[in-house]
Amino acid sequence: MPPQTLSHIVSLLAVLVSFVLVLPSPATGERWCAHNPKDIIFRRLGTKTPYRHVQNKDVRSIATVDGTGCSVSKIWGLFRHGTRNPSKSIIDHMLGTLPELQRDIVEHGQMCRDQLELFEQWQPRIKAEEAKLLVREGGNELYQLGQRMRKRFGSHLPERYDGNAFRFKFTKTERAEHSARNFTRGLFGRDEPIDYPEALSRDPVLRFYKGCEKWKRQVKENPYSYREMDRFGSSKEMRSVIEKLSKRIGTFVSPEEAHAIYQTCAFETAWSERNISPWCLLFDKESISTMEYNEDLKYYWIDGYGYELTYRQACSAFGDMFASLDDNGRANFTFYFTHSGTLLKSIAFLNLYKDNEPLTAQHYRYKRKWRVSHIDAFGSNLYFVLYKCPNGTHSIALYHQERLTHIPGCPDDALLCSYDHFKQLYAERMQQCDLNTMCSEPHVPSLEKDEL
């Protein structure tokens, strides 16, 4: 989110909650005890949800498809990098804001004794220069993902790396590169001398939105894009979160601090399968669900269905997919390692997890399909498998989070979709896929002073 937009929202919310929040005396009120914290936070950590919360460990999924008599011909997929460190802004909160709140909790917090002890022991475990780097857990996520890919499709994949059969590529980031290297290590069971193409910061396939100036101006940097998130920020549900956190901590908590607590809860939990961040203990199920919905609103309007341009530009990635699947001269197995923005826009391009109504502040109580905790965790993946069938035709299957997933527009009762039918679904959008036209705005010359 643009800094000026975040600052505006934070200031607005701080004013709103200050009128409704009444803190009890630290000596009064019941102490809060977080019960079953794993159940409370499970699949509610937004885009920072660890992949282990959503992965499919059943490697027999491919056997069901094999029952059709069709055999794997090609695979093309997008893979989000694994668990990483936070951005510098969140690290600044971890090093500055949270230690101050930690002291308030230890001295005045209304929490159970054993949970207060966890806060007494807590220390920040990160430095500013480590921002956004892949962590050990993130490497393991992709390594194990590669292993499961081998188990599912092993009989169809060459055992050793062959540059003519495989194409691996990552964006110009440490987290994407190391994710790719861990994935290939898991896929081949060893370190192979992989031939990676040059990594690009504005890759038109792996990170197409980085070069779309129109989208940046009209969507990402447009304060209006954050209006539903802004409205939800002043809702009674969000005010309740602030009030609960403030009571449990023993001092007033601002919306910005609440966001920092939620993010720290998510990152520290994602970092380790064995431990849950003590900051998660401040949330009850309703509170963390509220924070999760706030995240869903943000990503819905910035990276999802909020604006047509957002997902239309993903045609660039899918143009590469169709080229890969149609061209016998290209590698049969293509694996791209990229980011949350690419995965979410691609999901929206495919009409996956689309709710009947746009997500708004007032829809919090509605059952929704768009939940980034489920669809865009660390290590999330979206890959297509092209099958050659006995009658000479080709069919296609979609896997999301390693699960066979119905392709919108294809027959509801079929595991596989006719490849010809699938291509027809996207024919018009692919014909109109010109990023230069789509992402540029007419130049309006500025007036010189003597023209005003």
Side-chain angles (χ1 to χ4, degrees), residues 170-174 176-177 198-203 207 339:
F170 46 78
T171 64
K172 199 172 184 177
T173 61
E174 182 269 357
E177 176 179 351
E198 179 186 0
L200 305 172
S201 57
R202 292 192 173 193
D203 193 302
R207 226 176 181 186
H339 304 266

Side-chain angles (χ1 to χ4, degrees), residues 1 51 174 191 208 215 258 328 423 438:
M1 182 186 299
Y51 188 64
E174 182 269 357
D191 283 313
F208 44 82
W215 172 77
N328 289 328
K423 286 198 293 186
M438 191 184 304

Side-chain angles (χ1 to χ4, degrees), residues 205-220:
V205 173
L206 277 66
R207 226 176 181 186
F208 44 82
Y209 52 95
K210 285 292 184 178
C212 191
E213 296 302 322
K214 185 176 181 179
W215 172 77
K216 289 180 185 177
R217 288 193 295 270
Q218 294 191 359
V219 180
K220 188 177 182 181

Side-chain angles (χ1 to χ4, degrees), residues 81 124 196 246 272:
H81 59 77
Y196 294 103
S246 298
S272 170

Side-chain angles (χ1 to χ4, degrees), residues 32 34 40-41 44 240-241 244-245 248 280-290:
W32 163 247
I40 290 174
I41 65 171
R44 294 190 178 91
S240 175
V241 172
K244 288 176 181 177
L245 289 177
R248 291 163 189 170
C280 297
L281 303 176
L282 292 167
F283 294 105
D284 52 39
K285 186 175 180 179
E286 175 68 17
S287 296
I288 206 159
S289 296
T290 301

Side-chain angles (χ1 to χ4, degrees), residues 71-340:
S71 60
V72 174
S73 175
K74 294 195 173 190
I75 299 175
W76 182 95
L78 300 170
F79 296 78
R80 186 187 173 194
H81 59 77
T83 294
R84 61 166 172 82
N85 283 330
S87 63
K88 186 178 181 302
S89 62
I90 297 299
I91 293 176
D92 288 343
H93 279 298
M94 288 181 169
L95 298 176
T97 305
L98 296 194
E100 294 179 4
L101 293 178
Q102 177 191 27
R103 286 192 289 272
D104 289 321
I105 293 171
V106 172
E107 294 176 7
H108 309 296
Q110 296 295 295
M111 301 186 70
C112 290
R113 182 64 240 171
D114 60 334
Q115 295 180 355
L116 281 176
E117 290 176 356
L118 294 177
F119 279 101
E120 290 174 351
Q121 299 165 11
W122 178 83
Q123 290 182 339
R125 294 180 285 162
I126 191 169
K127 301 174 182 177
E129 56 268 27
E130 298 171 331
K132 293 192 175 183
L133 297 181
L134 193 76
V135 299
R136 181 186 296 272
E137 178 68 13
N140 289 337
E141 287 167 340
L142 271 294
Y143 176 79
Q144 293 166 10
L145 182 54
Q147 286 183 316
R148 289 194 298 275
M149 185 71 70
R150 170 62 63 183
K151 290 178 180 178
R152 285 196 184 94
F153 303 102
S155 61
H156 306 280
L157 299 174
E159 290 187 11
R160 301 297 298 265
Y161 171 72
D162 177 349
N164 294 318
F166 290 97
R167 176 174 168 81
F168 299 102
K169 193 177 185 185
F170 46 78
T171 64
K172 199 172 184 177
T173 61
E174 182 269 357
R175 56 193 181 278
E177 176 179 351
H178 286 202
S179 291
R181 295 187 185 281
N182 278 279
F183 177 87
T184 57
R185 193 175 298 120
L187 183 67
F188 296 114
R190 63 181 73 84
D191 283 313
E192 293 271 323
I194 309 295
D195 181 19
Y196 294 103
E198 179 186 0
L200 305 172
S201 57
R202 292 192 173 193
D203 193 302
V205 173
L206 277 66
R207 226 176 181 186
F208 44 82
Y209 52 95
K210 285 292 184 178
C212 191
E213 296 302 322
K214 185 176 181 179
W215 172 77
K216 289 180 185 177
R217 288 193 295 270
Q218 294 191 359
V219 180
K220 188 177 182 181
E221 297 172 359
N222 181 3
Y224 192 70
S225 300
Y226 301 88
R227 68 194 184 285
E228 294 303 328
M229 191 177 166
D230 198 343
R231 289 169 181 166
F232 190 64
S234 60
S235 67
K236 64 179 182 180
E237 289 86 2
M238 192 60 79
R239 293 198 302 268
S240 175
V241 172
I242 298 296
E243 185 172 356
K244 288 176 181 177
L245 289 177
S246 298
K247 287 180 178 178
R248 291 163 189 170
I249 291 174
T251 188
F252 171 76
V253 175
S254 71
E256 185 177 16
E257 290 169 334
H259 177 73
I261 292 170
Y262 177 67
Q263 291 292 309
T264 302
C265 159
F267 276 108
E268 291 190 343
T269 298
W271 287 342
S272 170
E273 186 172 1
R274 296 185 299 274
N275 302 314
I276 292 178
S277 169
W279 296 98
C280 297
L281 303 176
L282 292 167
F283 294 105
D284 52 39
K285 186 175 180 179
E286 175 68 17
S287 296
I288 206 159
S289 296
T290 301
M291 299 298 292
E292 179 196 18
Y293 190 68
N294 197 55
E295 292 275 288
D296 288 343
L297 284 173
K298 171 185 174 181
Y299 290 102
Y300 180 91
W301 289 97
I302 301 305
D303 287 323
Y305 290 105
Y307 297 90
E308 184 181 2
L309 174 61
T310 299
Y311 55 87
R312 270 186 63 210
Q313 59 183 313
C315 67
S316 178
F318 287 93
D320 183 271
M321 180 199 71
F322 284 116
S324 296
L325 299 183
D326 289 336
D327 186 354
N328 289 328
R330 291 185 57 161
N332 287 343
F333 308 107
T334 300
F335 301 93
Y336 291 142
F337 298 87
T338 181
H339 304 266
S340 170

Side-chain angles (χ1 to χ4, degrees), residues 13-23 234-236 238-240 242-243 252:
L13 298 186
V15 171
L16 287 167
V17 298
S18 65
F19 287 102
V20 300
L21 180 62
V22 179
L23 269 176
S234 60
S235 67
K236 64 179 182 180
M238 192 60 79
R239 293 198 302 268
S240 175
I242 298 296
E243 185 172 356
F252 171 76

